[in-house]
Amino acid sequence: MQSGLLSSLIILPLIASMVILLLPESYKGSYRWIALIVQILLLINLGTLISGFEANHTGYQFLEHFEWIRLTLGKTSILSIDYIVGIDGLSLSMVALSVVVFFIANISSFSINKKEKAYYSLFLLLTATVIGCFVAIDFFLFFIFFEFMLLPMYFLIGIWGGPNKAYASLKFIIYTLVGSVMILVVMIALAMSNVDEFFTSEYKRTVFSFDFRILSDQANLLKGSLLNIENPIKIFGVNARDFMFILLFIGFGIKLPMVPFHTWLPDAHVEAPTPISVVLAGILLKIGGYGLIRIAYGFFPDIAINYGLLISIMGLISILYGGFNALAQKDLKKLIAYSSISHMGFVLLGIGAFNIEGFNGAIFQMFSHGLLSSMLFLIAGVLYERTKNREINNFKGLAKTMPIFTVLVAIAFFGSLGLPSLSGFIGEFFTLFGSFQASTIPKVIPILGVLGIVLSAIYLLWTFQKMFFGEFWTKEEFKNNLTDLDQKEIIMLGVLGVLTLIFGIFPNILFDLINPTVIQLF
């Protein structure tokens, strides 16, 4: 396996980010092209990763492990923090989604014409940190990427966003930082409760590690530690392991986002520029689901199974709440934002099932939603760039003047409402199937979950009929601007539309990748 391939996915955008910062303003026109070249190189590296990945291999592949920090704690113990990156099926699926969505968002960013140096530098920093989250195998390293990811997103919304950008960016950073603090507490507790047996014998001291592989093996738990299983320690009257799992559930649930910790999302989406909305919905929300599967369930499987019902209920609430709120929206972008809350609720439903079908469905749903939500926000961006307006009632009969746009909108809308042969159907089907199979979950929960699909059909079909059918009508000042898609827009929406069709018709392309990893969790 090629050494350094995973690190290149992080280092290339980081270097490019610094290069853009150092270039003088006379090179202003090159910023977007530097960023695009980097995204193309990431696509090439992704192709190499996929071609060299062994789907049936268990454990992490393309491993890179370097000693980083060795801190002596008194005379008897050592704290070990290493640079460790690697991928399995779950990681690779999320890395693939990230690289594709960032490539599309980079093309969409060509419309940005304010403070381009800062924009592209922050955009590339965001690229590096997001991919870093998905490949990190050391919890400390993961947390660094997780935290640094918030910084560029805060500025990308706060500087290039809409009229209420200051409020939206502040709300985003406060919510996510609260979640980060919860994750930090668990990270410290885990590291001080697990010992690396290999290094312990080498150093002749107790070595505490942040390595995911150490933390996920309960045989490494130190007797008498905070998170030991034999003699549970209480925190506020709650078993310490339960307490830590709940902190992770809330911390990553904020990122997902899960109702009632969702209110930052609609504001962030409405105010963010189109390419940043694409990245936010397409990738950043998935870090919440990834963290729940990889860390919350991976490190506390004995506790997670007891909370399956609660997680499923929270998923159902998110599905229905997001769906009903989407029904009430008049702003197209806000409708899409609430639909994201609803569709990510299916991820919680699949995870709560705690079985192979549910987990496969949850991961597929994350991947599919990444493609479809990116399409939907690009669609809202197409209209906004032409008219500076997103009100659904201001458009009618667009199919007559924008036929190519209408076809691609149809793929995105029908994929999101779960039409068979499109990727949205597969993810929702398997999360519901897994939920029906789970003995710990009442059948009424997946039955009510189906209502979420009905709601999405109602608000998406109503919007599609309202905006695209009938006689063409719009406000007089918009008419001359409502031209069909240009070449750049066709490429962006076309790539995502084709991928939606491919994964809807051939879902085993993804299932063959993630299923061995899911089986390992059980």
Side-chain angles (χ1 to χ4, degrees):
M1 292 185 181
Q2 298 187 33
S3 178
L5 195 57
L6 287 180
S7 290
S8 70
L9 295 175
I10 302 167
I11 293 169
L12 279 173
L14 277 179
I15 292 173
S17 175
M18 289 185 284
V19 167
I20 288 174
L21 276 180
L22 294 172
L23 283 175
E25 285 297 326
S26 57
Y27 288 86
K28 182 179 178 180
S30 66
Y31 301 153
R32 64 182 61 181
W33 298 108
I34 292 172
L36 184 60
I37 288 169
V38 169
Q39 302 297 344
I40 292 171
L41 289 174
L42 296 186
L43 281 170
I44 293 169
N45 282 4
L46 174 63
T48 307
L49 275 176
I50 293 172
S51 63
F53 186 81
E54 299 173 25
N56 294 321
H57 178 82
T58 56
Y60 293 100
Q61 302 179 48
F62 295 93
L63 273 169
E64 300 171 39
H65 188 164
F66 303 101
E67 285 191 15
W68 185 13
I69 300 171
R70 289 290 184 274
L71 182 64
T72 302
L73 307 175
K75 296 180 179 180
T76 59
S77 58
I78 293 174
L79 189 64
S80 166
I81 301 173
D82 293 348
Y83 174 86
I84 319 173
V85 293
I87 53 169
D88 58 7
L90 171 59
S91 304
L92 182 54
S93 66
M94 294 297 104
V95 169
L97 177 65
S98 301
V99 172
V100 170
V101 171
F102 271 114
F103 171 71
I104 298 297
N106 199 106
I107 297 174
S108 177
S109 298
F110 278 28
S111 60
I112 300 292
N113 50 25
K114 181 179 80 169
K115 299 180 181 176
E116 293 178 52
K117 173 185 280 197
Y119 176 87
Y120 283 104
S121 182
L122 289 167
F123 185 85
L124 288 166
L125 176 60
L126 183 63
T127 303
T129 52
V130 167
I131 293 175
C133 280
F134 292 128
V135 301
I137 304 178
D138 183 276
F139 205 160
F140 190 88
L141 185 65
F142 170 88
F143 189 76
I144 287 175
F145 286 128
F146 189 83
E147 286 294 279
F148 265 92
M149 173 185 63
L150 307 181
L151 186 68
M153 182 58 74
Y154 169 74
F155 287 112
L156 287 165
I157 297 173
I159 297 174
W160 290 273
N164 295 318
K165 57 191 177 185
Y167 170 77
S169 59
L170 184 62
K171 195 172 183 180
F172 163 78
I173 200 75
I174 289 173
Y175 266 82
T176 46
L177 279 176
V178 169
S180 296
V181 169
M182 295 180 178
I183 296 166
L184 175 63
V185 170
V186 181
M187 180 181 76
I188 295 170
L190 278 165
M192 300 310 293
S193 299
N194 287 268
V195 292
D196 187 329
E197 296 292 348
F198 175 78
F199 280 112
T200 294
S201 60
E202 179 184 338
Y203 283 95
K204 304 302 181 185
R205 298 181 187 178
T206 302
V207 178
F208 299 106
S209 174
F210 290 89
D211 189 330
F212 280 4
R213 295 165 296 180
I214 303 298
L215 301 182
S216 61
D217 188 350
Q218 293 181 2
N220 296 317
L221 279 169
L222 194 64
K223 290 182 179 179
S225 65
L226 178 63
L227 300 180
N228 80 92
I229 297 175
E230 290 82 7
N231 299 301
I233 295 173
K234 302 287 185 180
I235 300 177
F236 302 120
V238 179
N239 184 311
R241 292 181 65 79
D242 287 73
F243 186 78
M244 295 301 164
F245 178 82
I246 292 168
L247 287 182
L248 287 175
F249 178 54
I250 297 173
F252 287 118
I254 291 171
K255 197 73 180 173
L256 195 66
M258 170 183 70
V259 175
F261 311 111
H262 67 286
T263 59
W264 63 270
L265 181 71
D267 293 315
H269 269 313
V270 169
E271 299 305 322
T274 297
I276 304 309
S277 282
V278 168
V279 170
L280 179 58
I283 308 169
L284 263 67
L285 305 188
K286 312 305 175 288
I287 294 174
Y290 175 83
L292 284 174
I293 295 171
R294 172 75 72 210
I295 296 175
Y297 273 70
F299 300 165
F300 298 97
D302 55 319
I303 304 300
I305 193 168
N306 299 326
Y307 288 88
L309 178 59
L310 172 64
I311 293 169
S312 297
I313 291 171
M314 298 305 290
L316 177 63
I317 292 170
S318 295
I319 290 168
L320 298 180
Y321 179 88
F324 280 115
N325 271 276
L327 277 172
Q329 301 309 313
K330 297 179 180 179
D331 182 307
L332 180 60
K333 204 172 185 184
K334 209 161 189 179
L335 180 147
I336 298 167
Y338 276 108
S339 79
S340 285
I341 295 170
S342 180
H343 286 111
M344 290 303 288
F346 283 98
V347 175
L348 286 174
L349 203 61
I351 292 173
F354 203 70
N355 54 32
I356 292 172
E357 299 92 334
F359 268 51
N360 272 310
I363 298 168
F364 200 104
Q365 176 71 358
M366 287 195 293
F367 188 89
S368 170
H369 181 263
L371 299 175
L372 288 165
S373 62
S374 297
M375 279 191 82
L376 291 169
F377 281 107
L378 286 172
I379 285 164
V382 166
L383 291 175
Y384 188 74
E385 284 183 17
R386 284 161 169 73
T387 64
K388 302 302 176 188
N389 191 279
R390 296 186 301 259
E391 290 291 320
I392 295 170
N393 289 330
N394 287 337
F395 303 96
K396 187 177 180 182
L398 293 179
K400 293 189 176 180
T401 58
M402 306 175 74
I404 299 174
F405 181 55
T406 303
V407 171
L408 290 166
V409 170
I411 293 173
F413 277 26
F414 282 102
S416 294
L417 63 84
L419 185 73
S421 80
L422 296 171
S423 63
F425 170 76
I426 304 297
E428 290 174 355
F429 173 80
F430 275 91
T431 55
L432 289 168
F433 185 75
S435 190
F436 271 113
Q437 291 284 94
S439 59
T440 57
I441 298 175
K443 299 297 182 283
V444 68
I445 290 179
I447 289 171
L448 289 174
V450 175
L451 181 58
I453 300 175
V454 175
L455 289 172
S456 64
I458 293 171
Y459 61 72
L460 287 170
L461 290 176
W462 174 82
T463 303
F464 192 56
Q465 183 179 33
K466 179 77 176 174
M467 296 180 69
F468 290 88
F469 294 145
E471 288 298 317
F472 174 69
W473 177 88
T474 187
K475 288 187 174 182
E476 198 64 37
E477 61 266 31
F478 300 161
K479 284 186 177 178
N480 295 332
N481 298 326
L482 286 172
T483 55
D484 211 350
L485 301 180
D486 59 28
Q487 192 172 13
K488 180 191 77 172
E489 292 163 340
I490 290 173
I491 291 171
M492 292 189 297
L493 288 167
V495 167
L496 293 171
V498 168
L499 289 173
T500 298
L501 284 164
I502 289 173
F503 285 100
I505 298 170
F506 305 106
N508 265 9
I509 296 173
L510 187 58
F511 280 138
D512 289 344
L513 196 67
I514 62 178
N515 193 50
T517 301
V518 170
I519 291 172
Q520 260 194 304
L521 292 171
F522 297 91

